[in-house]
Amino acid sequence: MSKESRIEKVLWSIALPGFGQILNGKLLKGAFLIVLEVIINIQANLNKVIIYSFQGNIQAAIENTNYSWLMFYPCLYMFAIGDAYRDAGGINSPYSFLPFVFSAYLGTIGLVYSSNLMLFGVLFGPVFLPIIFLILGIGIGALIKITLVKIKL
């Protein structure tokens, strides 16, 4: 599969977990991920939290977040992206899963601390802090992958 096709499936998975799987022809898996995403989204009040966050009302976002449900989201989100990429032929080198896994781990940690951790004096809240930590996780996972490949574990 072409690099452009892999990127398309990743981008659709970023838009909504499960869309990349559907494009890969994995209809049941894609439908299951979409149903999980909708359940978690509704139970966590995620759409309302996203709206408050983008409007700059971080305190309202924090108050409206159901953290017990939202804790599932970073792992579901990164699994769907990594799975769509793998099914599209994108993960064929050793340890290619590590950026996705570390991104899920750190995104969850970012969510745990999102109600009170300030970076540079700014409270980013339950949408933006996990995104920052997801990006950090991608970088850490990529560095670990490169290191493991170089030492040939």
Side-chain angles (χ1 to χ4, degrees), residues 58-106:
I58 300 302
Q59 196 55 46
I62 291 167
E63 291 167 6
N64 281 276
T65 301
N66 183 334
Y67 285 92
S68 294
W69 276 95
L70 196 55
M71 292 291 292
F72 292 107
Y73 203 80
C75 289
L76 172 70
Y77 193 71
M78 293 313 298
F79 172 80
I81 294 168
D83 182 69
Y85 186 66
R86 182 182 63 243
D87 284 349
I91 296 179
N92 51 17
S93 65
Y95 309 108
S96 293
F97 59 90
L98 287 173
F100 298 102
V101 171
F102 275 87
S103 189
Y105 293 160
L106 288 181

Side-chain angles (χ1 to χ4, degrees), residues 11-109:
L11 290 175
W12 276 112
S13 287
I14 289 169
L16 187 73
F19 278 6
Q21 285 74 12
I22 289 172
L23 286 173
N24 281 327
K26 310 282 180 155
L27 302 180
L28 188 60
K29 188 191 307 185
F32 180 70
L33 289 169
I34 290 169
V35 167
L36 279 177
E37 196 282 336
V38 169
I39 291 169
I40 294 168
N41 185 309
I42 290 168
Q43 293 298 319
N45 300 319
L46 184 55
N47 286 344
K48 186 184 287 188
V49 170
I50 290 169
I51 290 168
Y52 284 134
S53 295
F54 273 86
Q55 291 175 342
N57 193 346
I58 300 302
Q59 196 55 46
I62 291 167
E63 291 167 6
N64 281 276
T65 301
N66 183 334
Y67 285 92
S68 294
W69 276 95
L70 196 55
M71 292 291 292
F72 292 107
Y73 203 80
C75 289
L76 172 70
Y77 193 71
M78 293 313 298
F79 172 80
I81 294 168
D83 182 69
Y85 186 66
R86 182 182 63 243
D87 284 349
I91 296 179
N92 51 17
S93 65
Y95 309 108
S96 293
F97 59 90
L98 287 173
F100 298 102
V101 171
F102 275 87
S103 189
Y105 293 160
L106 288 181
T108 302
I109 291 169

